Amino acid sequence: MSDIIRVQDVSYEYERADEQGELAVRGVSMRVKKGEWLSILGRNGSGKSTLIKLLNGLFLPTHGSVTVGNFDTRDENHIWDVRQTVGMIFQNPDNQIVATIVEEDVAFGLENLGVSPKEIRQRVDAALAAVRMSEYAAAAPHMLSGGQKQRVAIAGALAMEPDVLLMDEPTAMLDPGGRREVMETVERLHRERGLTVVLVTHFMEEALRGDRVIVMQDGRAILEGPPRELFAKEAEAICRAGLELPPMAELARRLRAKGLSVPGEPMTVEEMAAAFGALRRERRGKHAG
Amino acid sequence: MPVEVRDLTHTYNEDSPFAAAALRDVSFAIEDGEFLGVIGHTGSGKSTLIQHLNGLIRPTSGTVIVNGLDLSDKSTDLRRVRRRVGLVFQYPEYQLFEETVQKDIAFGPRNLGLDGDEVQRRVEEACALVELPFAAVRDKSPFELSGGQKRRVAIAGVLAMEPEVLILDEPTAGLDPAGRDAILALIRRWHEGGRTIVMVSHSMEDVARLADRILVLDHGKKAMEGTPREVFADAGRLQEMGLDVPAATRLARELSDRGFDVPRDLYTLEELEEALLRAFGEGGSAC
């Protein structure tokens, strides 16, 4: 897989009026590969939200460089190419909806780019269909549920036809149903269209759905790898970073500590139920033998 | 300080074309020292409901009675209620405004007209209750603190009013797992210290772990009310309402369906761990 975003030894310092600035990101180097789902985990204040905002030129690095496709994010001549390649969704659905009708909201970015009305129509319809919100095209956003609002926000990003979708805790303010809706939508777009996803989240189960995880601590990337591998092998480092294992992985770990050998590396409810099924068969086999 | 809500209806923009019923005929009671969890989909009326409990908004119809005072009665002095019912909004750290932590926490008690010594005592006690090192943070700007610390300062500002009933709207939203566990442990301690707690949450796990009783709102109506056991008994109905049961409960039921000797009414990982060790541990029969 080729790299679509390259982050080279990047530091970022927030400017403060009264005193010395503070490094929120310290010397991070990383890649986002085309078509992958990368999750970024870390405590509040670990630098993960700052890092994700560096990936589309919302923030520009204090040191080092961020390249999106062929463009350095500091290159003002190409900042719109960067933003069009890399769309972004934020935590609060109410803060990113600007229009009073759903389809107008989805069209907002395109209108600003001067896309022809005919093409806007096509792209908006396609984007709403992609998040399964077509029937709400004429609805008022404030009448929608939180999960639906986030799907509209995703449609607004998709209408720009980005290669990468950045999401900063998109489910933090949603109810369980909304969380399911948004994660299923993202998973489908990733799987069916090859959308590259970068997800910042505090929910370990969400990271489990992705291909790769980076754990941030004190502005540095301290762990990197496939989620299942990290949750299985780096449990201690993950807890030290203020995080936790997905609930079922945590349960398996506790049971093993008490001497019950749970087979495999179950991380979801379904996998855990299957693991106990296997354990039962194994024990029955022993009894029979 | 008992709370009684009877036939509470609230309509925003009443008498206008934009009238929207946020709550419809909601009735329930909260007993002294109880921990009530409130769950419901986004827009189900949770935030509207809790704003009635300290008189921030008045019912369109129905009554809210706090410690014998009827908040729907226009002659009731709401300040008497507000100092006893503390409300911590969602993302309370956005409401910090003072120059220093000390001043921010002192703002409420000072407005009560308390003397300087009493204000100081309350500020220090509130800091201790949220486990902030007072000496280290008192002169700092609240805006210099980390996200989790800011939230603690904001909650301390409410605790400094020494409320008997504490209402928290999604106190753990946006916090990392360690920050979430720390806040939940504090809330549990305040409850054990005798306070009545009302906690609104989207986390079924958090509610299952802490609440004595759960109120479920759906499209402005009370859909269910009962112990976690009673409310989480019907996973299908909760899912239809945009909610869920805790992951531990889902596993317990999946295993029970497969014929394992595991109770169906388990809500926390701790309970599940114990049940699985009983069923599978040394001497356990495995089925």
Side-chain angles (χ1 to χ4, degrees):
Chain A
M1 271 192 288
S2 61
D3 296 336
I4 190 155
I5 303 178
R6 286 186 301 279
V7 175
Q8 208 79 50
D9 196 25
V10 160
S11 296
Y12 184 82
E13 182 177 332
Y14 281 99
E15 280 180 36
R16 294 249 284 255
D18 53 336
E19 55 193 291
Q20 256 203 329
E22 198 179 338
L23 281 179
V25 170
R26 300 159 190 258
V28 170
S29 295
M30 58 168 276
R31 301 268 191 276
V32 180
K33 294 173 208 146
K34 200 165 173 39
E36 77 167 334
W37 173 329
L38 169 68
S39 305
I40 303 177
L41 309 177
R43 298 201 68 140
N44 296 108
S46 63
K48 57 194 189 314
S49 287
T50 308
L51 178 63
I52 200 175
K53 289 185 184 99
L54 284 157
L55 301 184
N56 71 342
L58 214 50
F59 291 172
L60 299 175
T62 312
H63 303 288
S65 69
V66 176
T67 321
V68 173
N70 295 319
F71 305 116
D72 189 304
T73 56
R74 281 170 307 192
D75 180 354
E76 286 177 25
N77 296 320
H78 290 107
I79 188 67
W80 295 110
D81 295 306
V82 167
R83 297 266 168 83
Q84 210 170 328
T85 308
V86 186
M88 188 157 186
I89 304 294
F90 297 92
Q91 186 180 115
N92 188 338
D94 293 318
N95 289 355
Q96 47 194 326
I97 289 183
V98 292
T100 53
I101 295 173
V102 164
E103 61 180 10
E104 284 182 8
D105 191 79
V106 176
F108 181 77
L110 296 174
E111 284 170 347
N112 283 350
L113 283 185
V115 176
S116 76
K118 192 171 158 227
E119 192 178 344
I120 290 182
R121 183 76 261 165
Q122 287 168 351
R123 288 217 216 165
V124 168
D125 290 346
L128 283 171
V131 300
R132 308 213 163 134
M133 285 293 289
S134 301
E135 58 179 305
Y136 295 93
H142 74 269
M143 300 300 283
L144 304 178
S145 71
Q148 289 172 329
K149 284 180 196 166
Q150 281 302 54
R151 280 150 66 202
V152 169
I154 293 172
L158 287 182
M160 306 289 282
E161 300 184 343
D163 294 318
V164 185
L165 188 61
L166 308 178
M167 295 187 288
D168 194 357
E169 296 191 52
T171 64
M173 300 181 74
L174 303 182
D175 54 50
R179 223 176 285 158
R180 274 197 300 272
E181 270 171 43
V182 168
M183 277 300 118
E184 278 163 16
T185 302
V186 172
E187 201 160 35
R188 191 158 38 76
L189 293 169
H190 171 66
R191 203 178 50 234
E192 292 175 4
R193 306 172 161 226
L195 184 70
T196 309
V197 173
V198 181
L199 172 74
V200 167
T201 183
H202 285 314
F203 297 112
M204 304 300 127
E205 310 92 286
E206 294 181 358
L208 214 43
R209 296 173 183 240
D211 303 310
R212 199 159 62 97
V213 166
I214 288 179
V215 177
M216 297 284 293
Q217 191 173 15
D218 299 326
R220 295 192 172 85
I222 58 156
L223 288 173
E224 188 262 319
R228 287 174 173 275
E229 203 178 296
L230 286 190
F231 289 135
K233 294 184 184 150
E234 300 284 355
E236 277 177 27
I238 284 171
C239 294
R240 271 201 309 276
L243 306 176
E244 63 186 350
L245 301 180
M248 291 302 132
E250 171 63 23
L251 181 62
R253 194 188 63 81
R254 290 188 200 173
L255 290 171
R256 285 188 188 124
K258 296 255 171 75
L260 179 57
S261 53
V262 181
E265 293 291 350
M267 305 235 166
T268 66
V269 168
E270 294 68 30
E271 292 167 9
M272 193 63 141
F276 275 99
L279 188 60
R280 176 165 62 179
R281 281 193 299 281
E282 182 188 308
R283 292 199 180 176
R284 278 179 179 164
K286 270 186 199 153
H287 282 293
Chain B
M1 217 168 64
V3 176
E4 200 190 336
V5 173
R6 233 180 289 149
D7 302 322
L8 173 61
T9 293
H10 191 90
T11 307
Y12 286 111
N13 302 313
E14 211 193 357
D15 301 325
S16 91
F18 304 107
L23 291 173
R24 278 179 272 194
D25 294 320
V26 174
S27 298
F28 65 97
I30 308 168
E31 282 170 38
D32 263 352
E34 200 179 14
F35 195 129
L36 179 74
V38 180
I39 60 177
H41 59 85
T42 55
S44 61
K46 307 183 295 295
S47 297
T48 304
L49 175 68
I50 57 174
Q51 290 178 62
H52 280 88
L53 301 184
N54 75 344
L56 270 185
I57 50 182
R58 288 188 197 264
T60 304
S61 65
T63 51
V64 177
I65 296 168
V66 176
N67 207 25
L69 289 171
D70 183 353
L71 306 195
S72 47
D73 181 346
K74 290 217 163 82
S75 64
T76 300
D77 179 5
L78 293 176
R79 281 174 306 179
R80 281 176 61 198
V81 174
R82 290 203 186 122
R83 65 180 64 171
R84 303 176 73 175
V85 180
L87 179 52
V88 178
F89 284 101
Q90 229 181 89
Y91 295 86
E93 57 275 21
Y94 293 151
Q95 298 173 37
L96 296 168
F97 66 100
E98 271 286 10
E99 289 167 359
T100 67
V101 169
Q102 154 83 31
K103 284 187 188 171
D104 206 291
I105 300 174
F107 181 80
R110 208 174 285 286
N111 273 356
L112 290 180
L114 301 170
D115 68 51
D117 288 348
E118 175 63 9
V119 170
Q120 194 55 30
R121 182 193 70 74
R122 287 190 176 203
V123 169
E124 287 177 31
E125 194 173 302
C127 260
L129 280 171
V130 297
E131 293 181 349
L132 274 178
F134 179 67
V137 300
R138 60 177 298 167
D139 295 323
K140 279 198 177 174
S141 160
F143 303 102
E144 286 174 40
L145 304 176
S146 73
Q149 285 179 318
K150 277 186 209 167
R151 189 163 296 185
R152 286 167 190 238
V153 172
I155 296 176
V158 175
L159 289 173
M161 305 291 282
E162 300 193 342
E164 289 151 71
V165 180
L166 185 65
I167 307 171
L168 302 122
D169 193 355
E170 300 232 33
T172 64
L175 294 183
D176 58 58
R180 177 203 64 207
D181 287 346
I183 291 280
L184 290 176
L186 290 175
I187 295 171
R188 185 197 291 267
R189 211 164 310 145
W190 303 332
H191 178 234
E192 285 165 359
R195 279 186 193 76
T196 305
I197 307 271
V198 178
M199 183 172 85
V200 173
S201 180
H202 280 320
S203 165
M204 304 300 116
E205 273 75 15
D206 294 356
V207 171
R209 240 192 284 173
L210 292 173
D212 302 319
R213 219 151 49 83
I214 300 175
L215 176 71
V216 186
L217 290 181
D218 183 42
H219 293 99
K221 289 187 174 157
K222 181 173 90 174
M224 300 162 109
E225 183 187 5
T227 60
R229 180 182 312 262
E230 288 161 351
V231 166
F232 289 133
D234 195 344
R237 188 158 171 231
L238 288 169
Q239 280 162 3
E240 276 166 30
M241 291 191 278
L243 303 173
D244 212 336
V245 295
T249 312
R250 275 191 285 134
L251 178 62
R253 290 185 190 158
E254 181 67 37
L255 290 175
S256 165
D257 286 344
R258 292 180 182 213
F260 288 91
D261 183 18
V262 172
R264 298 176 70 81
D265 55 348
L266 301 177
Y267 310 106
T268 64
L269 286 187
E270 289 72 24
E271 291 172 333
L272 197 53
E273 181 187 340
E274 241 173 72
L276 288 169
L277 285 172
R278 257 200 317 274
F280 279 89
E282 290 291 310
S285 69
C287 47

